[in-house]
Amino acid sequence: MFAELVKALDEKKSALERELAAIHEKDPSQTGAGQLAQDAVENERRLALINEQSIKEYKALWQSFTPPGPFPCPFCYVFHKKISPLKPLPRVEDVEPVKCTVCGETFEIPVELLYA
């Protein structure tokens, strides 16, 4: 399960890079330049937070949790240093989704990797 959540961080990093590139391509005269600048700053901040050190810190936190206690959300921890529980949702075929009770992000974990 840990590997799947780290994978979600990598996917989030790629999405932030794409969003940042799209922001830089927009014409500020057609959209709010101030909002574009704020979005760019926030995306750059989040990109900088997804790094080897933050993943190591998340792994140490992860290892301190044991079932049946809820595991912590990787996004809340990496972006805000908050420990937010992941709540299991009803299983769908061979995937068990978990949802953060704070940020609302949903992660789909293959059942065979649930506690691997």
Side-chain angles (χ1 to χ4, degrees):
M1 185 171 171
F2 173 75
E4 288 295 307
L5 295 174
V6 170
K7 182 178 165 185
L9 282 169
D10 287 336
E11 290 169 356
K12 182 63 138 181
K13 186 174 185 175
S14 295
L16 288 168
E17 289 169 342
R18 287 190 303 274
E19 289 174 23
L20 195 55
I23 288 170
H24 290 303
E25 290 175 2
K26 288 183 180 177
D27 181 2
S29 65
Q30 294 180 0
T31 58
Q35 184 61 44
L36 282 177
Q38 287 177 349
D39 291 347
V41 167
E42 179 60 16
N43 282 358
E44 287 170 354
R45 181 189 76 80
R46 286 179 163 213
L47 272 171
L49 290 171
I50 302 174
N51 57 50
E52 288 298 317
Q53 182 61 36
S54 64
I55 291 172
K56 283 181 185 179
E57 292 170 2
Y58 178 69
K59 182 177 185 177
L61 174 69
W62 171 270
Q63 291 173 336
S64 71
F65 283 74
T66 56
F71 288 106
C73 173
F75 292 171
C76 286
Y77 184 76
V78 169
F79 296 142
H80 307 291
K81 296 299 183 213
K82 291 184 180 179
I83 300 173
S84 308
L86 293 174
K87 176 184 170 188
L89 298 174
R91 199 174 278 182
V92 179
E93 295 180 15
D94 61 344
V95 174
E96 182 168 320
V98 291
K99 184 174 184 172
C100 178
T101 59
V102 175
C103 73
E105 191 71 39
T106 300
F107 305 92
E108 294 182 345
I109 310 298
V111 174
E112 69 268 10
L113 300 177
L114 206 52
Y115 295 104

